[in-house]
Amino acid sequence: MAAAPRRASEAELLLAEEVSARTTVGLFLRQAALFETRTFVRFYDGATARWVVMSWGEFRRNVLRVAEGLVSIGVEPQDRVLLLSENRVEWLFCDLGIQAAGAITVPVYPNLLAAAVLALAEDSGASHAIVSDASQAAKLAPAARAIEIVEMEGDVARWAEGAAGAASSEVVRRLTNLGPEQVATIAYTSGTSGRPKGAVITHGSMVAEVESCRQAYDLGPDDVILSVLPFAHIFERIAAFMFGAVLAGAELDLGRGPEHLLADIQGVRPTCMDAVPRLFEKVSQQVQAQAQKRSFLLRKLFLWAVRTGRERLRDSHSGLVLRLRSRLADRFVLRGLRRKITGGRLRFFLSGSAPLLPDVEEFFWAIGIPIYQGWGMTELTCAATCNTISEHRFGTVGKALPGVSIRLAGDGEIEVRSPGAMREYYGDPAATAEVISDGWIKTGDVGRIDEDGFLTITDRKKDLIKTSGGKYIAPQPIEVMLQQDPLIQSAVVMGDGRPFATALIVPDWEAVRRELVLEDPPERLVREPRVMNVIQKRVDEVNAGLSRFETVKYFRLLACPLSLAEDEVTPTMKVKRRVVQDHNRDLVDEMYGRKAIA
């Protein structure tokens, strides 16, 4: 006879009731008591080559065991604990375990170099660090005397294997003392201009943020979320984990990485998934590239179906002929395409962290896949605005989330007041004063709000280029338009203090060589006339839609992608414009020199 499903014990139920629901841990404990035996997380075990299920009850026991372990090694309330690991289930229960011990989680991207990790450890004043393995521990070796390092594959594994049972009196005391005003995490910004700053985020702010998301999106226990972004990214940590899994009660499946994305989608068949625009761009390009390889008839059928979908989007009063064409396109082409891309039961994609190309957004909608673009920042504990199922407008980042207010300053800068806003920058009152004024966060983004309240981001305030002629150029929209070309991987527009705008462009070298039937390495192709001509064509197309002072007069090609190791991009792949310019000073000077050529 099968064993009866385990129910939460009286001690576990009592603990859930005694911990404030306005804290991350209190919210989780209440949900765990409610869903006890249901699947909470699924993850792939490489050793056994199978997917493993962890229930809410088991996950709670791991959270409390981590809290017990941290207390046993001397972690005190409000101590800062680094969390340095790739995505894995231990990341999630260590995050809540740190907070259950009354301490503060300081998430760190696992792909950061040792110098950057040490800088964050020093800035946060961390006393302990939880790392995934020895390779991550090595990054903290110079700080080993000041920071006690705990490895997931050692100490945390032993803690998790410990005896189950009620939490110790000390952990219970710390849990019941947690309040919404206490700090839950210090999340460091990307640092595109200057050093990263630590956004101090309280328990109350995190709970307010996920509750606001819940009012905007109807997610529940029947949903399955595929997680593909790093949990150190505030977008993934809040949207997928704290909102989707913890508050909404959805199942969270941990993806195995970009190289397994399509296989994971087919295996998991998620109902929703959030990601950054670059991922959606790649999927769109791959689908269209594969269609080009099909027979003439199938290729034409695909193009007809997508074109029909685009026409349907633009014609809100579709006539009988267009409706009939749409049904045929869906039955014979788009239905199978959606199943291949999404697994067959996707409700929607969420896109955030950077601008989504208009053509990519329209492509997904045209083939019947809703994709909702939102906007926010670390200082706001994730999102401030978002398009939703009931309110959506192409090309915008949606309306303010429930409880959030947005306004524009005189220069167009977007300011936000939100219950999810950070308290301050850690240890930096001067930077805090620059950003927070009378409860409003100055975001540094420039935008416009239409008559219906939909927000459009136009650029970063600090990224605005002022030419020597006094004209202001917004580089991001130009870069976005250039990057719509499948032959261009990334573009960096510059011209501050110069007479005109120029660009450094990284082609998608694989696509370029395939398109032009070339075999030489990128280093030998950066000045190859055929390559220059095909990129020039795209530059000319973009320039045709710009004011004369905005146009890109010259460009140069880079052989290598922009690199995190070279400090040219942040861990979330935001470009550090000034660093890229400095690293390619000779090319930049050449474009502005007397011998500049097109």
Side-chain angles (χ1 to χ4, degrees):
M1 179 181 294
R6 182 187 180 279
R7 297 180 179 275
S9 69
E10 290 186 13
E12 289 163 340
L13 290 171
L14 182 61
L15 182 62
E17 293 172 359
E18 290 182 347
V19 182
S20 171
R22 307 301 303 170
T23 65
T24 59
V25 186
L27 177 63
F28 165 74
L29 290 174
R30 279 168 170 74
Q31 294 292 80
L34 179 65
F35 295 123
E36 186 68 30
T37 60
R38 285 181 63 107
T39 297
F40 182 48
V41 181
R42 287 178 74 241
F43 57 95
Y44 189 80
D45 182 358
T48 61
R50 65 185 182 90
W51 288 84
V52 178
V53 169
M54 183 175 289
S55 70
W56 282 82
E58 186 179 358
F59 192 94
R60 177 188 54 227
R61 290 190 290 279
N62 284 326
V63 168
L64 296 178
R65 286 165 179 165
V66 168
E68 296 281 5
L70 293 173
V71 169
S72 72
I73 62 173
V75 172
E76 296 290 341
Q78 296 299 281
D79 275 355
R80 276 76 66 202
V81 180
L82 295 186
L83 186 50
L84 175 58
S85 167
E86 67 284 352
N87 278 17
R88 52 196 295 171
V89 70
E90 291 88 349
W91 198 107
L92 298 172
F93 62 68
C94 283
D95 182 25
L96 285 180
I98 290 167
Q99 294 166 47
I104 299 168
T105 305
V106 183
V108 180
Y109 286 94
N111 55 355
L112 284 182
L113 301 179
V117 174
L118 287 168
L120 296 186
E122 180 179 0
D123 190 79
S124 65
S127 61
H128 295 74
I130 299 178
V131 302
S132 55
D133 53 28
S135 65
Q136 296 293 354
K139 296 178 181 179
L140 287 164
R145 291 186 178 180
I147 298 177
E148 184 167 348
I149 301 171
V150 173
E151 290 189 24
M152 290 179 179
E153 296 180 359
D155 303 275
V156 173
R158 287 192 294 273
W159 292 344
E161 293 169 358
S168 72
S169 58
E170 176 59 18
V171 170
V172 170
R173 184 186 70 80
R174 294 189 186 188
L175 282 169
T176 54
N177 284 337
L178 277 181
E181 74 288 346
Q182 288 178 266
V183 179
T185 189
I186 299 176
Y188 278 85
T189 60
S190 299
T192 55
S193 55
R195 68 176 181 83
K197 296 182 287 290
V200 175
I201 300 172
T202 66
H203 283 269
S205 289
M206 291 186 77
V207 172
E209 175 70 16
V210 297
E211 288 181 341
S212 183
C213 293
R214 179 63 183 272
Q215 293 179 62
Y217 288 99
D218 182 23
L219 290 185
D222 292 332
D223 281 297
V224 176
I225 299 170
L226 177 61
S227 175
V228 298
L229 299 179
F231 288 125
H233 197 308
I234 195 74
F235 182 28
E236 189 73 355
R237 190 178 177 200
I238 294 296
F241 180 46
M242 286 305 302
F243 163 48
V246 175
L247 181 61
E251 177 185 311
L252 183 65
D253 288 14
L254 309 188
R256 293 174 290 169
E259 66 276 15
H260 299 288
L261 177 61
L262 290 179
D264 285 347
I265 287 177
Q266 289 298 317
V268 170
R269 300 179 63 238
T271 61
C272 52
M273 187 183 90
D274 59 83
V276 294
R278 187 57 183 159
L279 184 145
F280 296 120
E281 292 167 22
K282 287 183 177 180
V283 171
S284 171
Q285 291 170 358
Q286 286 175 5
V287 169
Q288 295 177 76
Q290 289 172 5
Q292 291 299 317
K293 298 177 182 178
R294 308 295 293 273
S295 67
F296 176 81
L297 180 61
L298 290 177
R299 185 166 66 251
K300 289 295 183 181
L301 188 61
F302 169 82
L303 293 174
W304 168 80
V306 174
R307 185 170 61 250
T308 299
R310 291 183 187 272
E311 290 178 18
R312 177 177 50 79
L313 289 176
R314 294 168 183 153
D315 186 356
S316 57
H317 305 287
S318 304
L320 178 60
V321 174
L322 182 53
R323 290 200 300 271
L324 178 59
R325 284 171 52 204
S326 297
R327 290 173 185 171
L328 291 173
D330 193 76
R331 178 177 179 181
F332 292 109
V333 180
L334 301 182
R335 188 180 303 171
L337 180 59
R338 286 197 301 273
R339 189 178 301 112
K340 181 178 180 180
I341 295 175
T342 71
R345 60 177 182 176
L346 186 89
R347 295 171 57 201
F348 55 82
F349 283 135
L350 287 178
S351 177
S353 186
L356 180 65
L357 298 178
D359 187 65
V360 174
E361 181 181 21
E362 188 179 87
F363 172 79
F364 278 100
W365 279 91
I367 64 176
I369 300 175
I371 182 168
Y372 299 111
Q373 186 175 187
W375 167 81
M377 56 194 297
T378 303
E379 291 86 342
L380 297 170
T381 317
C382 194
T385 71
C386 201
N387 283 285
T388 65
I389 297 170
S390 59
E391 294 187 295
H392 173 258
R393 183 159 295 174
F394 287 107
T396 77
V397 292
K399 294 184 176 183
L401 289 171
V404 176
S405 300
I406 58 174
R407 69 183 186 187
L408 300 181
D411 59 359
E413 181 177 8
I414 304 162
E415 298 180 347
V416 178
R417 183 165 59 193
S418 168
M422 71 171 186
R423 191 178 74 185
E424 62 188 338
Y425 285 127
Y426 184 73
D428 198 338
T432 301
E434 288 180 5
V435 170
I436 303 178
S437 177
D438 196 27
W440 290 85
I441 298 278
K442 299 176 182 179
T443 67
D445 281 330
V446 177
R448 61 178 182 271
I449 303 172
D450 68 19
E451 65 279 4
D452 295 319
F454 286 90
L455 175 66
T456 300
I457 308 298
T458 57
D459 208 69
R460 285 288 298 170
K461 182 177 179 180
K462 291 184 179 180
D463 272 353
L464 288 177
I465 292 170
K466 187 177 183 180
T467 67
S468 57
K471 295 287 189 178
Y472 282 97
I473 299 173
Q476 284 192 354
I478 301 173
E479 292 163 353
V480 166
M481 288 186 284
L482 288 169
Q483 289 164 186
Q484 287 182 16
D485 192 303
L487 299 183
I488 296 178
Q489 184 180 96
S490 55
V492 183
V493 174
M494 58 200 68
D496 199 45
R498 303 279 195 164
F500 47 79
T502 59
L504 293 170
I505 295 175
V506 181
D508 182 330
W509 287 111
E510 182 178 345
V512 167
R513 286 187 288 191
R514 184 171 57 247
E515 175 84 8
L516 300 177
V517 194
L518 298 170
E519 296 183 357
D520 291 338
E523 293 78 8
R524 297 181 60 181
L525 295 176
V526 290
R527 297 195 184 248
E528 209 281 338
R530 285 178 292 170
V531 178
M532 293 293 286
N533 288 339
V534 76
I535 299 299
Q536 182 69 62
K537 181 180 178 182
R538 180 56 185 166
V539 172
D540 291 342
E541 291 171 351
V542 171
N543 281 342
L546 300 174
S547 299
R548 185 174 180 181
F549 72 89
E550 294 177 301
T551 57
V552 175
K553 299 299 189 294
Y554 306 109
F555 68 88
R556 291 293 179 270
L557 304 182
L558 302 181
C560 299
L562 303 182
S563 167
L564 176 66
E566 296 297 327
D567 198 36
E568 294 170 332
V569 293
T570 71
T572 56
M573 301 310 292
K574 294 183 177 68
V575 174
K576 295 186 176 183
R577 195 179 309 279
R578 197 167 299 279
V579 175
V580 174
Q581 182 172 313
D582 290 344
H583 286 181
N584 297 279
R585 178 60 59 188
D586 289 346
L587 292 178
V588 174
D589 289 344
E590 181 181 301
M591 288 189 285
Y592 289 105
R594 292 180 180 178
K595 296 182 179 180
I597 57 173

